[in-house]
Amino acid sequence: MNDRPIGIFDSGIGGLTVVRSVMDRLPGERIIYLGDGARGPYGPRDIDEVSRFAHEIIEYLLGFGVKLIVIACNSATAAALEQAQRRYDIPVVGVIMPGVRAALRRSKRLQIGVIGTNVTISSGSYERAIKKLDPRATVYSQACPEFVEFVERGEVTGDHISEMALGYLDPMLEAGIDTLIMGCTHYPLLAPLLAQVAGPGVELISSAEETAAEVDTILDRLGWLAEGDRPGSMMFLTTGDVDEGRRLGRMFLGPEVREVIPITFDEHPAPDFLDAEGEAS
Ligand code: DGL
């Protein structure tokens, strides 16, 4: 058993879809979530820059004594996961592999579509991961750069976004995909729309649930799951605007988002759930 918190981060608020799944699956865990609202979205940025941001955030979260890190952002996973797994001596989990495994489990014809931000799609990370696990699979990738803005405005239905979705998905639907990976943490909020556009023959994969399952498996194997009657908790830190974090946080996670704490990378607010000796510096 290990009572230290889990650190989860994203370029903003999309990673809260992963937090939701981790909280549902592991309700006794303490979670520190960091949204890099000041520098997100990462999707349009250069991959080396995203990697640098991700390492800065991981170093910061390590200052809270976290036992595991989840890079709850596809763009940051594509940019930094492999290096982070080599560099740090705690488990670092990304969102790409869990989604890929689920897609390969569920796809019947191995015709797999992937949608994501520019940086995720142009990194080729999904394609490499899918081919590594099953070289027989055919992968169709499409960047959907405008989706993030729509989701953040709360515009997840309506003619405009439906037409846009159809434009993005049409080539892969024509090609005959049977599985579609939502390779961006914002996209689970578009799941009803994407399911409608893709039709009943296409299985939608959300990496959030699969990532939570992977966190469970790793912590269980290490004997590090939080145990006991104490309920879990979630602390939401942001480098960006607090009101915006709260508004979008409630949309992505739910009413559990109460306080949003502004941070800079020079200091660690003391989480009330860490003991008095203070693992937070
Ligand atoms: N969270 C990001 C991702 O999953 C989407 C938002 C962004 O572009 O940073 O790729």
Side-chain angles (χ1 to χ4, degrees), residues 173-189:
L173 294 173
E174 283 288 313
I177 56 162
D178 66 349
T179 307
L180 177 63
I181 301 179
M182 296 183 283
C184 171
T185 49
H186 282 57
Y187 298 175
L189 277 84

PDB file of all heavy atoms in Angstrom, residues 173-189:
ATOM      1  N   LEU A 173     -13.747   6.851 -43.317  1.00  0.00           N
ATOM      2  CA  LEU A 173     -14.998   6.076 -43.369  1.00  0.00           C
ATOM      3  C   LEU A 173     -15.133   5.418 -44.743  1.00  0.00           C
ATOM      4  O   LEU A 173     -15.502   4.246 -44.857  1.00  0.00           O
ATOM      5  CB  LEU A 173     -16.198   6.975 -43.077  1.00  0.00           C
ATOM      6  CG  LEU A 173     -16.268   7.540 -41.651  1.00  0.00           C
ATOM      7  CD1 LEU A 173     -17.396   8.556 -41.530  1.00  0.00           C
ATOM      8  CD2 LEU A 173     -16.452   6.424 -40.622  1.00  0.00           C
ATOM      9  N   GLU A 174     -14.784   6.178 -45.777  1.00  0.00           N
ATOM     10  CA  GLU A 174     -14.799   5.626 -47.144  1.00  0.00           C
ATOM     11  C   GLU A 174     -13.859   4.434 -47.258  1.00  0.00           C
ATOM     12  O   GLU A 174     -14.132   3.456 -47.947  1.00  0.00           O
ATOM     13  CB  GLU A 174     -14.339   6.707 -48.144  1.00  0.00           C
ATOM     14  CG  GLU A 174     -15.389   7.744 -48.449  1.00  0.00           C
ATOM     15  CD  GLU A 174     -16.499   7.168 -49.311  1.00  0.00           C
ATOM     16  OE1 GLU A 174     -16.180   6.501 -50.291  1.00  0.00           O
ATOM     17  OE2 GLU A 174     -17.676   7.384 -48.960  1.00  0.00           O
ATOM     18  N   ALA A 175     -12.722   4.544 -46.560  1.00  0.00           N
ATOM     19  CA  ALA A 175     -11.717   3.472 -46.629  1.00  0.00           C
ATOM     20  C   ALA A 175     -12.157   2.233 -45.839  1.00  0.00           C
ATOM     21  O   ALA A 175     -11.549   1.177 -45.955  1.00  0.00           O
ATOM     22  CB  ALA A 175     -10.378   3.984 -46.115  1.00  0.00           C
ATOM     23  N   GLY A 176     -13.183   2.394 -44.995  1.00  0.00           N
ATOM     24  CA  GLY A 176     -13.752   1.217 -44.323  1.00  0.00           C
ATOM     25  C   GLY A 176     -13.229   0.937 -42.921  1.00  0.00           C
ATOM     26  O   GLY A 176     -13.137  -0.223 -42.511  1.00  0.00           O
ATOM     27  N   ILE A 177     -12.910   1.992 -42.135  1.00  0.00           N
ATOM     28  CA  ILE A 177     -12.472   1.719 -40.749  1.00  0.00           C
ATOM     29  C   ILE A 177     -13.587   1.037 -39.955  1.00  0.00           C
ATOM     30  O   ILE A 177     -14.775   1.276 -40.201  1.00  0.00           O
ATOM     31  CB  ILE A 177     -12.032   3.004 -39.997  1.00  0.00           C
ATOM     32  CG1 ILE A 177     -13.155   4.069 -39.983  1.00  0.00           C
ATOM     33  CG2 ILE A 177     -10.746   3.561 -40.547  1.00  0.00           C
ATOM     34  CD1 ILE A 177     -12.943   5.144 -38.924  1.00  0.00           C
ATOM     35  N   ASP A 178     -13.184   0.180 -38.999  1.00  0.00           N
ATOM     36  CA  ASP A 178     -14.179  -0.414 -38.098  1.00  0.00           C
ATOM     37  C   ASP A 178     -13.975   0.057 -36.659  1.00  0.00           C
ATOM     38  O   ASP A 178     -14.768  -0.251 -35.769  1.00  0.00           O
ATOM     39  CB  ASP A 178     -14.148  -1.953 -38.169  1.00  0.00           C
ATOM     40  CG  ASP A 178     -12.857  -2.541 -37.640  1.00  0.00           C
ATOM     41  OD1 ASP A 178     -11.890  -1.787 -37.400  1.00  0.00           O
ATOM     42  OD2 ASP A 178     -12.810  -3.771 -37.462  1.00  0.00           O
ATOM     43  N   THR A 179     -12.884   0.832 -36.431  1.00  0.00           N
ATOM     44  CA  THR A 179     -12.555   1.292 -35.077  1.00  0.00           C
ATOM     45  C   THR A 179     -11.980   2.701 -35.207  1.00  0.00           C
ATOM     46  O   THR A 179     -11.208   2.960 -36.131  1.00  0.00           O
ATOM     47  CB  THR A 179     -11.473   0.363 -34.455  1.00  0.00           C
ATOM     48  OG1 THR A 179     -11.937  -0.979 -34.561  1.00  0.00           O
ATOM     49  CG2 THR A 179     -11.199   0.686 -33.002  1.00  0.00           C
ATOM     50  N   LEU A 180     -12.355   3.579 -34.270  1.00  0.00           N
ATOM     51  CA  LEU A 180     -11.850   4.953 -34.322  1.00  0.00           C
ATOM     52  C   LEU A 180     -11.306   5.336 -32.949  1.00  0.00           C
ATOM     53  O   LEU A 180     -12.054   5.359 -31.958  1.00  0.00           O
ATOM     54  CB  LEU A 180     -12.969   5.917 -34.733  1.00  0.00           C
ATOM     55  CG  LEU A 180     -12.598   7.401 -34.758  1.00  0.00           C
ATOM     56  CD1 LEU A 180     -11.510   7.688 -35.798  1.00  0.00           C
ATOM     57  CD2 LEU A 180     -13.836   8.260 -35.056  1.00  0.00           C
ATOM     58  N   ILE A 181     -10.003   5.610 -32.898  1.00  0.00           N
ATOM     59  CA  ILE A 181      -9.396   6.027 -31.625  1.00  0.00           C
ATOM     60  C   ILE A 181      -9.519   7.546 -31.498  1.00  0.00           C
ATOM     61  O   ILE A 181      -9.068   8.290 -32.377  1.00  0.00           O
ATOM     62  CB  ILE A 181      -7.900   5.645 -31.561  1.00  0.00           C
ATOM     63  CG1 ILE A 181      -7.710   4.130 -31.726  1.00  0.00           C
ATOM     64  CG2 ILE A 181      -7.288   6.122 -30.247  1.00  0.00           C
ATOM     65  CD1 ILE A 181      -6.249   3.683 -31.705  1.00  0.00           C
ATOM     66  N   MET A 182     -10.121   7.993 -30.385  1.00  0.00           N
ATOM     67  CA  MET A 182     -10.192   9.430 -30.115  1.00  0.00           C
ATOM     68  C   MET A 182      -8.861   9.805 -29.451  1.00  0.00           C
ATOM     69  O   MET A 182      -8.712   9.723 -28.233  1.00  0.00           O
ATOM     70  CB  MET A 182     -11.371   9.735 -29.195  1.00  0.00           C
ATOM     71  CG  MET A 182     -12.710   9.413 -29.843  1.00  0.00           C
ATOM     72  SD  MET A 182     -14.109   9.845 -28.792  1.00  0.00           S
ATOM     73  CE  MET A 182     -14.096   8.500 -27.617  1.00  0.00           C
ATOM     74  N   GLY A 183      -7.893  10.179 -30.289  1.00  0.00           N
ATOM     75  CA  GLY A 183      -6.525  10.369 -29.811  1.00  0.00           C
ATOM     76  C   GLY A 183      -6.257  11.760 -29.290  1.00  0.00           C
ATOM     77  O   GLY A 183      -5.196  12.339 -29.554  1.00  0.00           O
ATOM     78  N   CYS A 184      -7.204  12.303 -28.552  1.00  0.00           N
ATOM     79  CA  CYS A 184      -7.051  13.625 -27.944  1.00  0.00           C
ATOM     80  C   CYS A 184      -7.977  13.632 -26.743  1.00  0.00           C
ATOM     81  O   CYS A 184      -9.121  13.166 -26.831  1.00  0.00           O
ATOM     82  CB  CYS A 184      -7.454  14.716 -28.936  1.00  0.00           C
ATOM     83  SG  CYS A 184      -7.548  16.359 -28.198  1.00  0.00           S
ATOM     84  N   THR A 185      -7.484  14.164 -25.630  1.00  0.00           N
ATOM     85  CA  THR A 185      -8.260  14.087 -24.390  1.00  0.00           C
ATOM     86  C   THR A 185      -9.551  14.909 -24.440  1.00  0.00           C
ATOM     87  O   THR A 185     -10.423  14.717 -23.608  1.00  0.00           O
ATOM     88  CB  THR A 185      -7.402  14.562 -23.210  1.00  0.00           C
ATOM     89  OG1 THR A 185      -6.802  15.812 -23.581  1.00  0.00           O
ATOM     90  CG2 THR A 185      -6.332  13.555 -22.883  1.00  0.00           C
ATOM     91  N   HIS A 186      -9.660  15.828 -25.401  1.00  0.00           N
ATOM     92  CA  HIS A 186     -10.902  16.602 -25.516  1.00  0.00           C
ATOM     93  C   HIS A 186     -12.021  15.798 -26.195  1.00  0.00           C
ATOM     94  O   HIS A 186     -13.193  16.121 -26.057  1.00  0.00           O
ATOM     95  CB  HIS A 186     -10.690  17.863 -26.344  1.00  0.00           C
ATOM     96  CG  HIS A 186     -10.017  18.975 -25.610  1.00  0.00           C
ATOM     97  ND1 HIS A 186      -8.787  18.844 -25.016  1.00  0.00           N
ATOM     98  CD2 HIS A 186     -10.415  20.255 -25.381  1.00  0.00           C
ATOM     99  CE1 HIS A 186      -8.453  19.994 -24.463  1.00  0.00           C
ATOM    100  NE2 HIS A 186      -9.421  20.867 -24.668  1.00  0.00           N
ATOM    101  N   TYR A 187     -11.654  14.832 -26.993  1.00  0.00           N
ATOM    102  CA  TYR A 187     -12.631  14.225 -27.886  1.00  0.00           C
ATOM    103  C   TYR A 187     -13.703  13.361 -27.200  1.00  0.00           C
ATOM    104  O   TYR A 187     -14.789  13.213 -27.781  1.00  0.00           O
ATOM    105  CB  TYR A 187     -11.943  13.415 -28.987  1.00  0.00           C
ATOM    106  CG  TYR A 187     -11.044  14.211 -29.926  1.00  0.00           C
ATOM    107  CD1 TYR A 187     -10.293  13.564 -30.895  1.00  0.00           C
ATOM    108  CD2 TYR A 187     -10.941  15.597 -29.845  1.00  0.00           C
ATOM    109  CE1 TYR A 187      -9.451  14.274 -31.755  1.00  0.00           C
ATOM    110  CE2 TYR A 187     -10.101  16.312 -30.686  1.00  0.00           C
ATOM    111  CZ  TYR A 187      -9.358  15.647 -31.638  1.00  0.00           C
ATOM    112  OH  TYR A 187      -8.521  16.345 -32.483  1.00  0.00           O
ATOM    113  N   PRO A 188     -13.447  12.790 -26.010  1.00  0.00           N
ATOM    114  CA  PRO A 188     -14.563  12.055 -25.378  1.00  0.00           C
ATOM    115  C   PRO A 188     -15.821  12.920 -25.230  1.00  0.00           C
ATOM    116  O   PRO A 188     -16.937  12.407 -25.243  1.00  0.00           O
ATOM    117  CB  PRO A 188     -13.996  11.636 -24.017  1.00  0.00           C
ATOM    118  CG  PRO A 188     -12.529  11.462 -24.291  1.00  0.00           C
ATOM    119  CD  PRO A 188     -12.192  12.570 -25.270  1.00  0.00           C
ATOM    120  N   LEU A 189     -15.651  14.256 -25.143  1.00  0.00           N
ATOM    121  CA  LEU A 189     -16.844  15.104 -25.062  1.00  0.00           C
ATOM    122  C   LEU A 189     -17.579  15.178 -26.398  1.00  0.00           C
ATOM    123  O   LEU A 189     -18.729  15.624 -26.452  1.00  0.00           O
ATOM    124  CB  LEU A 189     -16.481  16.505 -24.568  1.00  0.00           C
ATOM    125  CG  LEU A 189     -16.377  16.609 -23.045  1.00  0.00           C
ATOM    126  CD1 LEU A 189     -15.022  16.170 -22.546  1.00  0.00           C
ATOM    127  CD2 LEU A 189     -16.674  17.995 -22.557  1.00  0.00           C
TER     128      LEU A 189
END
